[in-house]
């Protein structure tokens, strides 16, 4: 999957908004918006993507490690 994304897209920008982190001992849940600008390598077309994300992190041996990541794209407005 990651190799496929790397071969198809070039990430130009990524910005977080409304980022909220809740810590429960050695587990943290992070939610918020992720706005990205990508270039489609095959066509050179640039696209803006907006998503809502959820990440789950676990602290192991003093280091935070991501356990799960989910992103749901927000459809662009229709005219």
């Amino acid at each position: 999957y990651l190799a496929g994304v790397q071969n198809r897209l070039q990430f130009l920008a990524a910005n977080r908004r409304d980022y909220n982190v809740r810590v429960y001992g050695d587990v943290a849940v992070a939610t918020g918006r992720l706005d990205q600008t990508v270039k489609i390598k095959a066509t050179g077309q640039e696209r803006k993507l907006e998503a809502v994300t959820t990440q789950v992190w676990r602290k192991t041996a003093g280091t935070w490690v991501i356990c799960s990541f989910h992103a749901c794209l927000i459809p662009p407005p229709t005219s």
Side-chain angles (χ1 to χ4, degrees):
Y1 170 79
L2 293 176
V5 170
Q6 182 179 17
N7 292 336
R8 291 191 306 266
L9 300 175
Q10 177 184 358
F11 289 85
L12 304 175
N15 296 299
R16 291 297 226 159
R17 291 191 287 145
D18 305 323
Y19 198 61
N20 183 10
V21 178
R22 295 173 310 280
V23 179
Y24 307 98
D26 288 344
V27 175
V29 179
T31 58
R33 293 281 301 264
L34 175 61
D35 300 329
Q36 297 177 322
T37 303
V38 299
K39 181 188 281 187
I40 301 168
K41 290 183 178 181
T43 64
Q45 177 188 15
E46 287 187 18
R47 292 195 54 203
K48 293 191 182 299
L49 305 173
E50 295 181 38
V52 178
T53 66
T54 301
Q55 298 165 285
V56 178
W57 295 77
R58 180 176 178 214
K59 194 172 189 179
T60 304
T63 302
W64 288 99
V65 179
I66 193 162
C67 299
S68 179
F69 176 84
H70 177 263
C72 181
L73 287 177
I74 299 170
T78 58
S79 23

